[in-house]
């Protein structure tokens, strides 16, 4: 990690990679976790937000001082709010009404305006987050919508930064990449880079929560913020390239949340639920991978954004989640 930067934007990327000690005991492979919470906005999405804003400014669709309008489950909104604050663009975020209070508070701290809606509203519903964002943008002259689900700058940010960082940090020894999938930008961009760089040797594993159709089956309620998808394959995000994924691993909610708690208690890593999902899938991968494999799991954000949900026994109980081993 850079020890010193001349601007906050310069702190985006170059996040640390840490080896799992306790949770990795007895494995014949090593698991590393890439801590995207080290970005200044607190998540992997700072990379995406920066990449999309820079490109929009470059091609002229985002003029100085123009408003940015985006629908986001939280982290892209936070990334855009951060970049907007630094570059003089007002930011409006349409967020899920299930977004944690902590993330909403962070958004507002960076001066973003927040509009809440039902994240499960179907594409044809006026309440659908993307439809609300489209209406807002139509009403605000000169406004620009990054559209993270369609914007090639999203996966490209990871091809250009996350992938090369992992290659460098493992001295080219990485054998497996494990990542959760929201827009698919992280797994598609990082996975494509690592496959290109290793001449196809690196295996890419998609970690999917219960209720998501990425790994097949019927759609259901998804209890892991920011990841999974309940839409038909025809409506999957353009930013997700399923061909990069060699295998999907589905982790039940109890396994996801037990892993987030163990990461905190056993490794001292306070991470969000999608990180627990990826690490649980990484451990599963390690059990069948050839001995001596180097498995890298992406941890998209920190647990501090979920203290009222993931680390709240009442929220866990209300959602029927039981921590394995008594938490
Ligand atoms: N975890 C969290 C907490 C997220 O907010 C996101 C992005 N929605 C992801 C994982 C997945 O990242 P991506 O959109 O690049 O697939």
């Amino acid at each position: 990690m850079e020890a010193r930067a001349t601007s906050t934007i310069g702190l985006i990327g170059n996040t640390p990679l840490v080896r799992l000690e306790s949770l990795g005991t007895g494995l014949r492979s090593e698991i590393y976790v890439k801590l995207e919470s080290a970005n200044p906005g607190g998540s992997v999405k700072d990379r995406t937000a920066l990449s999309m804003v820079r490109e929009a400014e470059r091609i002229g669709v985002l003029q100085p001082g123009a408003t940015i309008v985006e629908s986001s489950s939280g982290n892209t909104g936070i990334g855009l709010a951060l970049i907007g604050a630094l570059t003089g663009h007002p930011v409006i975020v349409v967020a899920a009404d299930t977004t944690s209070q902590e993330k909403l508070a962070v958004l507002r701290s960076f001066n973003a305006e927040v509009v809440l809606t039902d994240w499960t509203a179907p594409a044809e519903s006026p309440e659908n987050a993307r439809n609300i964002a489209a209406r807002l943008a139509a009403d605000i002259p000169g406004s620009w919508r990054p559209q993270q689900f369609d914007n090639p700058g999203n996966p490209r940010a990871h091809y250009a930064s996350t992938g090369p960082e992992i290659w460098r940090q493992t001295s080219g020894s990485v054998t497996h990449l494990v990542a959760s999938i929201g827009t698919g930008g992280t797994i598609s961009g990082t996975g494509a880079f690592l496959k290109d760089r290793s001449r196809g040797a690196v295996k890419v594993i998609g970690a999917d929560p219960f209720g998501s159709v990425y790994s097949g089956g019927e759609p259901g309620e998804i209890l892991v913020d920011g990841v999974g998808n309940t839409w038909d394959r025809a409506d999957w995000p353009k930013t997700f390239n399923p061909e990069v994924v060699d295998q999907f691993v589905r982790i039940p909610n109890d396994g996801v949340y037990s892993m987030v708690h163990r990461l905190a208690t056993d490794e001292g890593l306070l991470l969000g639920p999608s990180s627990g999902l990826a690490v649980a899938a990484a451990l599963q991968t390690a059990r069948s991978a050839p001995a001596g494999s180097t498995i890298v799991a992406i941890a998209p954000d920190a647990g501090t954004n979920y203290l009222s949900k993931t680390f709240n026994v009442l929220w866990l109980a209300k959602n029927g989640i039981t921590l394995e081993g008594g938490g």
Side-chain angles (χ1 to χ4, degrees), residues 209-234:
F210 185 81
S212 171
V213 298
Y214 282 140
S215 50
E218 292 299 311
E221 188 187 5
I222 297 175
L223 286 178
V224 182
D225 283 4
V227 300
N229 192 345
T230 54
W231 305 319
D232 291 341
R233 197 178 171 114

Side-chain angles (χ1 to χ4, degrees), residues 34 162-170 174 177 190 194 296 298:
K34 187 142 174 78
T162 322
E165 285 172 32
I166 291 172
W167 187 259
R168 202 170 56 237
Q169 287 169 310
T170 60
V174 55
L177 170 76
T190 313
L194 292 175
V296 174
I298 305 281

Side-chain angles (χ1 to χ4, degrees), residues 67-274:
T67 302
I68 300 172
V69 182
E70 180 67 316
S71 56
S72 161
S73 64
N75 283 329
T76 298
I78 292 172
L80 288 167
L82 170 83
I83 307 286
L86 292 169
T87 55
H89 295 288
V91 175
I92 304 177
V93 176
V94 184
D97 52 13
T98 51
T99 304
S100 73
Q101 291 303 320
E102 293 87 333
K103 278 192 193 169
L104 297 178
V106 173
L107 277 169
R108 292 180 179 122
S109 301
F110 285 133
N111 232 2
E113 190 184 318
V114 180
V115 178
L116 294 178
T117 192
D118 176 2
W119 204 248
T120 60
E124 60 281 7
S125 162
E127 296 312 307
N128 177 279
R130 281 186 264 179
N131 296 339
I132 294 178
R135 283 202 303 276
L136 283 167
D139 286 348
I140 303 169
S143 61
W144 170 70
R145 294 176 61 207
Q147 305 199 68
Q148 59 164 332
F149 289 89
D150 296 325
N151 192 323
N154 169 0
R156 207 185 292 136
H158 297 287
Y159 194 95
S161 67
T162 322
E165 285 172 32
I166 291 172
W167 187 259
R168 202 170 56 237
Q169 287 169 310
T170 60
S171 305
S173 68
V174 55
T175 55
H176 298 73
L177 170 76
V178 186
S180 56
I181 309 156
T183 64
T186 306
I187 198 164
S188 305
T190 313
F193 176 87
L194 292 175
K195 277 185 184 277
D196 285 352
R197 191 70 183 76
S198 67
R199 295 172 207 271
V202 170
K203 295 274 170 271
V204 176
I205 291 98
D208 211 30
F210 185 81
S212 171
V213 298
Y214 282 140
S215 50
E218 292 299 311
E221 188 187 5
I222 297 175
L223 286 178
V224 182
D225 283 4
V227 300
N229 192 345
T230 54
W231 305 319
D232 291 341
R233 197 178 171 114
D235 295 324
W236 283 7
K238 291 196 185 64
T239 44
F240 176 44
N241 177 9
E243 283 171 21
V244 169
V245 181
D246 295 289
Q247 192 197 339
F248 288 95
V249 174
R250 182 183 293 219
I251 305 290
N253 292 323
D254 287 358
V256 169
Y257 283 90
S258 301
M259 187 54 69
V260 193
H261 281 256
R262 286 193 66 193
L263 280 162
T265 57
D266 298 10
E267 301 282 344
L269 295 173
L270 189 64
L271 302 174
S274 64

